[in-house]
Amino acid sequence: MGADVILLEGHKMGGDCLNFGCVPSKALLASAKVAHVQAHAAPFGVADQVPKVDYSAAKDHVHDVIAAIAPMDSPERFEGFGVRVLREYGAFVSPTEVMAGQYRIKARRVVISTGSSPFVPPIPGLDSVPYQTNETLFDLREQPEHLLIIGGGPIGLEMAQAHVRLGCKVTVIEGARALGKDDPEAAAVVLEALRAEGIEIVEGVQAAEIRGKAGAIEVLAADGQVFAGSHLLMAVGRKPNIDRLNLEAAGIERTRTGIKVDDALITTNRKVYAIGDVAGGLQFTHVAGYHAGVIIKSALFGLPSKAKTHHIPWATYTDPELAQIGLTEAQAREQHGLRLEVARFDMHHNDRALAERKTKGFIKLMVVKGRPVGITIVGPQAGELISLWSLVLANNLKMGQVAAMVAPYPSIGELNKRVAGAYFTPRLFENASVKRVVGLVQRWLP
């Protein structure tokens, strides 16, 4: 668009998502899914086969996928756009100046998009025991015999399912409730499926001490339980990457979760924006991309632009998948009370799901005055199904507009139309006034 731009990156281009997060985790899940299908083919008339898993080769697949995407995030691509790329970390030296290596850069606007890193809690003994995080796991070539995972959130459970399907024994230790940020009813569907695959998921247990050595690690719980395994993965959350920035020199305030920003993603220094994980809100790659779009209007054109969150979806890519946008049922009931209507359609009523024997799950719709305020989906392709509802919420559409869509038959996508139909069902088929009108029309219609 004609702006003069310098991009600073002191580590890997593409950041966490490409190198340590979304891309490698979904690639490993894909390998695991192939193994699982081989071992569970009999219901489709194909003999089950015990998969011969080469864990190191599965990691080759992961790195092949990273390598295929990497050119899109490469310095060469951005230099081709006219961006000057400096492979240096940046730190503020004044409200308008950043040092990057030997360069002192004065800028009209600065965007902080430094992301987040795995948070490793100060559990006694952890500093003397080898452990993995998402930044090291995908370089591990030795297949864990028994993987202990501390943390029952999306990262922990995705990696738990990937590893159990690749032939590892897996124990997940969660201090509160697994998938605690999601709808409990939907989370229960996922947890039941994971436990059925052999994953031990222990909830409400705090890790109090770690001891052992490589290949023989023990997690001692506060209640006295001891969990033993060969490898340990820490998956308890994220922390913002702000330590290198010298924010004080720029007059930028921080919060407990990141950098303080207003609705326009502007920091306490009016010339500096913060976007993505480092802004302390929802930590997803697609949120960072959305934030970038928000600030372009302001930074390049001087136009008002504010970030919203009500239309931001998120998904956990276990099998079954779990996706959410807007309010959960509990949140909607608390916020809207008696005005709330809940519509639901179960996966086992979808013909495509029946054909593929993937009938566990449902879609649940929270509606207030004819407009959805939240959607929960658990089941096959939940991460794909949720996209439609982002469109609906972003544009403040009504349920009638969703019901008017036509979905191909048979498809999982029919779920979205069918749950809209479920919302209108009592209005059409249980309404005495409707029946009277239809009766009159049928009586007098020529």
Side-chain angles (χ1 to χ4, degrees):
M1 292 185 174
D4 183 11
V5 179
I6 296 177
L7 174 65
L8 307 180
E9 177 53 69
H11 194 26
K12 292 188 175 184
M13 295 289 290
D16 186 82
C17 181
L18 173 62
N19 298 289
F20 315 117
C22 319
V23 170
S25 63
K26 303 315 166 275
L28 191 65
L29 281 168
S31 291
K33 182 177 181 180
V34 172
H36 184 73
V37 168
Q38 288 185 14
H40 298 81
F44 299 90
V46 181
D48 289 343
Q49 298 289 333
V50 177
K52 296 180 180 180
V53 174
D54 184 333
Y55 187 79
S56 181
K59 292 297 181 68
D60 287 340
H61 161 67
V62 169
H63 286 278
D64 285 347
V65 174
I66 294 173
I69 298 173
M72 296 297 292
D73 292 338
S74 67
E76 293 78 14
R77 180 167 182 259
F78 285 91
E79 287 166 349
F81 293 148
V83 175
R84 184 175 182 185
V85 180
L86 300 180
R87 302 307 302 277
E88 301 281 357
Y89 290 105
F92 287 96
V93 292
S94 80
T96 59
E97 294 174 302
V98 174
M99 284 296 299
Q102 62 179 320
Y103 300 99
R104 189 182 186 102
I105 306 163
K106 184 177 178 61
R108 190 181 68 83
R109 293 287 184 270
V110 178
V111 179
I112 303 172
S113 55
T114 50
S116 62
S117 301
F119 170 67
V120 179
I123 302 173
L126 184 58
D127 57 353
S128 61
V129 173
Y131 63 88
Q132 305 291 323
T133 69
N134 72 297
E135 291 187 349
T136 62
L137 180 65
F138 301 109
D139 288 326
L140 179 67
R141 296 291 172 150
E142 170 195 6
Q143 180 167 346
E145 178 184 343
H146 186 170
L147 179 63
L148 302 174
I149 301 176
I150 297 181
I155 295 173
L157 293 184
E158 286 181 3
M159 289 302 94
Q161 187 170 45
H163 281 80
V164 79
R165 289 181 167 188
L166 291 172
C168 307
K169 187 176 181 180
V170 179
T171 298
V172 177
I173 304 161
E174 167 56 45
R177 180 172 64 86
L179 295 176
K181 294 182 179 180
D182 287 287
D183 178 276
E185 184 184 13
V189 174
V190 175
L191 297 176
E192 180 184 6
L194 298 185
R195 288 183 169 118
E197 291 189 22
I199 301 171
E200 181 184 14
I201 302 173
V202 184
E203 300 176 273
V205 173
Q206 294 284 346
E209 184 182 348
I210 312 293
R211 66 189 182 193
K213 58 183 181 180
I217 297 172
E218 289 184 335
V219 177
L220 283 69
D223 63 1
Q225 295 186 73
V226 179
F227 303 93
S230 61
H231 292 72
L232 175 63
L233 172 64
M234 301 301 298
V236 297
R238 311 283 298 173
K239 63 177 183 179
N241 293 330
I242 58 178
D243 293 343
R244 298 175 182 266
L245 296 174
N246 193 24
L247 296 174
E248 293 76 12
I252 297 172
E253 296 180 17
R254 63 182 72 188
T255 66
R256 186 180 59 84
T257 57
I259 293 175
K260 183 178 180 180
V261 296
D262 62 13
D263 290 343
L265 302 170
I266 298 172
T267 70
T268 49
N269 178 336
R270 305 302 296 173
K271 294 182 178 295
V272 180
Y273 300 88
I275 66 174
D277 287 11
V278 78
L282 296 172
Q283 295 181 326
F284 305 109
T285 297
H286 52 279
V287 173
Y290 165 66
H291 282 176
V294 169
I295 69 169
I296 282 174
K297 288 177 65 178
S298 173
L300 296 186
F301 299 103
L303 298 174
S305 183
K306 293 184 178 181
K308 301 176 182 179
T309 59
H310 73 285
H311 66 304
I312 301 293
W314 66 86
T316 299
Y317 295 97
T318 47
D319 179 10
E321 294 181 2
L322 195 164
Q324 177 71 40
I325 190 170
L327 304 176
T328 64
E329 181 178 356
Q331 292 168 338
R333 290 194 184 282
E334 180 179 356
Q335 188 169 326
H336 295 285
L338 296 177
R339 295 182 300 164
L340 176 70
E341 296 179 79
V342 178
R344 179 191 177 111
F345 196 83
D346 290 331
M347 203 67 67
H348 66 258
H349 292 307
N350 178 270
D351 292 355
R352 183 62 179 272
L354 285 164
E356 298 190 4
R357 293 184 178 270
K358 294 183 177 180
T359 56
K360 299 292 185 181
F362 58 85
I363 178 170
K364 183 163 54 174
L365 193 64
M366 280 57 73
V367 185
V368 175
K369 295 183 178 180
R371 286 186 168 88
V373 296
I375 298 89
T376 299
I377 309 175
V378 60
Q381 300 182 38
E384 307 295 331
L385 291 168
I386 203 73
S387 294
L388 172 71
W389 297 103
S390 179
L391 174 71
V392 172
L393 268 62
N395 292 279
N396 198 30
L397 301 182
K398 291 185 175 181
M399 290 304 302
Q401 292 165 297
V402 179
M405 67 173 279
V406 178
Y409 174 88
S411 67
I412 298 295
E414 280 189 290
L415 265 293
N416 285 329
K417 180 176 176 64
R418 295 297 295 274
V419 75
Y423 169 75
F424 284 108
T425 292
R427 289 164 168 75
L428 293 175
F429 306 129
E430 300 171 15
N431 188 305
S433 297
V434 171
K435 292 181 178 182
R436 284 195 298 271
V437 170
V438 170
L440 288 171
V441 171
Q442 294 303 304
R443 184 179 307 166
W444 298 106
L445 193 69

